[in-house]
């Protein structure tokens, strides 16, 4: 067998992996939409509807999910437009998620924002997604008053001006959303397999730019105890900091709150905008990369160390180190004489609800409160580091029920409320192990 060793090679994905625009597989602009009957309808006058019920209106299908932050951010805007345009326009929110997941989420959102949203919601959908295949969310399908597909767009086109002009019968140039996807099984090597290699390959390291249609992610086979499975690390469409987080985290991966960017132009390597479309656009514009390294399991190599060395070659303008960096921290501790017996859980279903004025945690340990604080105070600023780190040092491991009249952001008020139940947040600076990315001299 002739082994092939490569490092810092630029490669294309395997030849038989063709990028496909998923939207091209469904109904196209100008085609008539069949009169489907939809069930599992919520927040509407009936629990089932026919699409023909909306004939005579501009119908906009809003495909969304609870985990999609741009989708959730659009809910108040769509509700406002729905109220403004009345029976001339109808937004219909559609999610594949079950009612048990989506409806409580929407109820919590309404409580948090102090607003009642009147948009009808279809849960557990598969029929509409089969008609309009897509990959990224949010995804909008515009259906005209005659029941034909008018446009397939992202959220940027959902504007008052566009709706007003369309309702008035004017032609409006709307964007055309394309969802490019590649058929790829993350269990397989990304760049080479037995059918695509000209010669037998036993070991390689490959680097490429952004691959359109490939879902961002990371996979490694090092924990797999099987001599027949080679060692492999595959990073798909990742930024420079994310690649270093994988390599220097050695499997557990540094996250953003433990990453410090000390570079002169951070915007050149990472998009901090939480808008999903902006982030994907930045990956396409030269800030996204793929990397894969494969070696025989018997070699005993540390692929993470090899990945760090390769990244130094691929990105000579930057260097990365793991350091103890002093950061502002807060420790959650018991007050003297605190009795937590009255806080012990009553055994209801575990849940966490937070807004600007309340924290309601049911059937979780104090770790849940600390995790919520860490998440809330995690800031994707140019430094890439959160403003405060929180630790649970209560020593109490039982599950509790907490009902605190304070938000996660108002720490002085939160501390006053915590004191009432025998807790306190103590502020102090501590060394935190951080991934530090610098400009290379």
């Amino acid at each position: 067998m002739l082994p092939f060793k490569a490092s810092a090679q630029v490669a294309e994905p395997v030849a038989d992996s063709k990028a496909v625009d998923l939207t091209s597989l469904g109904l196209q602009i100008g085609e008539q939409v069949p009169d489907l009957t939809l069930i599992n309808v919520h927040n509407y006058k009936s629990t089932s509807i026919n699409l023909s019920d909306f004939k005579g209106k501009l119908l906009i299908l809003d495909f969304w999910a609870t985990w999609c932050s741009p989708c959730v951010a659009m809910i108040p805007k769509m509700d406002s437009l729905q109220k403004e345009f009345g029976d001339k326009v109808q937004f219909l929110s559609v999610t594949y998620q079950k009612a048990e997941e989506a409806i409580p989420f929407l109820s919590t959102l309404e409580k948090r924002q102090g607003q009642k949203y009147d948009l009808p919601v279809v849960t557990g959908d598969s029929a509409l997604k089969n008609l309009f295949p897509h990959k990224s969310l949010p995804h909008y399908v515009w259906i005209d008053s005659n029941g034909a597909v008018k446009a397939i767009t992202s959220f940027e086109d959902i504007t008052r001006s566009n709706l007003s002009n369309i309702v008035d019968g004017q032609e409006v140039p709307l964007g055309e959303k394309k969802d490019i996807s590649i058929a790829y099984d993350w269990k397989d090597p990304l760049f080479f397999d037995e059918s695509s290699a000209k010669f037998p390959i036993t070991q390689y390291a490959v680097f490429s730019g952004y691959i359109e249609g490939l879902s961002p992610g990371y996979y490694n086979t090092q924990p797999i105890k099987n001599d027949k499975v080679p060692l492999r690390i595959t990073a798909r469409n990742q930024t420079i900091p994310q690649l270093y987080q994988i390599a220097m985290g050695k499997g557990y991966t540094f996250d953003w709150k433990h990453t410090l960017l000390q570079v002169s132009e951070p915007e050149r390597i990472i998009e901090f905008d939480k808008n999903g479309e902006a982030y994907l656009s930045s990956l396409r514009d030269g800030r996204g990369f793929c990397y894969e390294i494969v070696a025989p399991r018997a070699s005993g190599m540390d692929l993470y160390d090899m990945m760090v060395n390769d990244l130094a070659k691929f990105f000579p303008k930057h260097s990365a180190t793991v350091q103890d960096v002093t950061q502002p921290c807060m420790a959650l501790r018991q007050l003297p004489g605190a009795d937590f017996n009255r806080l012990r859980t009553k055994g209801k279903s575990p849940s966490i609800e937070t807004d600007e004025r309340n924290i309601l945690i049911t059937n979780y340990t104090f770790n849940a409160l600390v995790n919520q604080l860490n998440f809330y105070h995690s800031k994707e600023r140019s430094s890439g580091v959160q403003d405060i780190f929180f630790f649970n040092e209560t020593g109490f491991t039982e599950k509790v029920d907490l009902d605190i009249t304070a938000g996660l952001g108002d720490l002085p008020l939160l501390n006053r409320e915590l004191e009432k139940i025998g807790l306190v947040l103590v502020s102090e600076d501590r060394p935190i192990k951080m991934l530090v990315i610098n400009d290379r001299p």
Side-chain angles (χ1 to χ4, degrees), residues 12-48:
E12 296 296 327
V14 291
D16 59 351
S17 295
K18 292 183 172 59
V20 176
D21 176 13
L22 292 181
T23 60
S24 69
L25 305 179
L27 289 180
Q28 300 300 293
I29 294 172
E31 293 185 335
Q32 203 72 20
V33 180
D35 186 18
L36 293 182
T37 298
L38 305 176
I39 58 175
N40 300 324
V41 182
H42 309 265
N43 205 28
Y44 195 65
K45 59 187 177 183
S46 61
T47 58
S48 66

Side-chain angles (χ1 to χ4, degrees), residues 117-133:
Y117 299 122
D118 296 328
L119 302 173
V121 181
V122 178
T123 60
D125 168 72
S126 60
L128 287 172
K129 186 174 181 181
N130 287 337
L131 282 183
F132 303 104

Side-chain angles (χ1 to χ4, degrees), residues 82-347:
Q82 181 68 74
K83 289 180 169 67
E84 179 178 352
F85 285 92
D87 59 3
K88 297 177 181 178
V89 174
Q90 180 63 61
F91 284 94
L92 181 61
S93 291
V94 182
T95 180
Y96 67 89
Q97 292 172 291
K98 299 296 184 184
E100 296 80 11
E101 189 174 5
I103 301 307
F105 174 87
L106 292 172
S107 298
T108 300
L109 181 68
E110 289 179 337
K111 291 177 183 176
R112 182 180 304 152
Q113 298 185 347
Q115 179 74 30
K116 177 69 173 71
Y117 299 122
D118 296 328
L119 302 173
V121 181
V122 178
T123 60
D125 168 72
S126 60
L128 287 172
K129 186 174 181 181
N130 287 337
L131 282 183
F132 303 104
H134 56 274
K135 179 180 179 182
S136 65
L137 296 174
H139 184 79
Y140 293 93
V141 176
W142 305 52
I143 301 174
D144 67 21
S145 58
N146 296 315
V149 180
K150 184 173 184 63
I152 299 174
T153 75
S154 188
F155 63 91
E156 294 92 345
D157 292 284
I158 305 294
T159 66
R160 183 187 182 280
S161 174
N162 283 344
L163 266 63
S164 180
N165 290 335
I166 291 174
V167 166
D168 289 342
Q170 300 181 35
E171 283 299 318
V172 178
L174 297 172
E176 185 177 354
K177 181 172 180 280
K178 295 182 181 295
D179 275 9
I180 308 300
S181 180
I182 287 179
Y184 169 68
D185 188 338
W186 52 267
K187 296 178 183 177
D188 297 328
L190 176 60
F191 291 106
F192 297 106
D193 59 24
E194 292 180 359
S195 62
S196 65
K198 291 181 68 174
F199 302 103
I201 298 174
T202 59
Q203 176 185 331
Y204 66 82
V206 183
F207 170 78
S208 82
Y210 177 81
I211 298 177
E212 187 68 55
L214 193 65
S215 298
Y218 154 65
Y219 177 73
N220 83 87
T221 62
Q222 295 208 156
I224 298 176
K225 305 299 182 184
N226 185 338
D227 291 340
K228 296 182 180 179
V229 178
L231 296 169
R232 174 166 64 93
I233 297 173
T234 302
R236 309 182 308 274
N237 290 342
Q238 301 286 288
T239 63
I240 293 175
Q242 287 172 326
L243 289 171
Y244 271 114
Q245 287 167 356
I246 293 168
M248 304 194 77
K250 287 185 175 289
Y252 75 87
T253 308
F254 281 92
D255 56 22
W256 270 115
K257 66 177 179 288
H258 290 93
T259 303
L260 182 62
L261 296 187
Q262 294 181 334
V263 296
S264 57
E265 297 178 289
E267 68 279 358
R268 293 178 66 88
I269 63 174
I270 180 65
E271 170 62 62
F272 287 98
D273 193 327
K274 293 185 178 179
N275 178 321
E277 285 296 313
Y279 176 75
L280 287 176
S281 177
S282 76
L283 295 181
R284 296 186 184 101
D285 291 344
R287 286 174 278 186
F289 306 92
C290 295
Y291 172 84
E292 183 167 75
I293 183 168
V294 174
R297 189 166 290 271
S299 68
M301 295 178 177
D302 188 324
L303 297 194
Y304 291 107
D305 287 343
M306 296 180 68
M307 182 177 179
V308 171
N309 292 333
D310 284 338
L311 293 179
K313 302 172 190 175
F314 300 153
F315 307 114
K317 293 183 179 180
H318 305 290
S319 64
T321 56
V322 177
Q323 305 175 20
D324 285 334
V325 181
T326 300
Q327 297 289 333
C329 302
M330 298 194 84
L332 183 67
R333 295 174 180 163
Q334 290 190 42
L335 287 171
D339 180 9
F340 293 147
N341 285 323
R342 60 193 179 95
L343 300 179
R344 292 179 189 272
T345 183
K346 303 297 189 298

Side-chain angles (χ1 to χ4, degrees), residues 107-115 353-361 376 402-411 413-415 417-418 420:
S107 298
T108 300
L109 181 68
E110 289 179 337
K111 291 177 183 176
R112 182 180 304 152
Q113 298 185 347
Q115 179 74 30
E353 296 181 26
T354 64
D355 57 33
E356 295 179 356
R357 297 179 293 275
N358 297 281
I359 301 170
L360 185 62
I361 296 177
Y376 181 89
L402 300 176
D403 189 351
I404 303 170
T405 310
L408 296 167
D410 190 341
L411 294 179
L413 174 59
L414 176 59
N415 231 347
E417 293 300 311
L418 288 174
K420 297 177 182 178

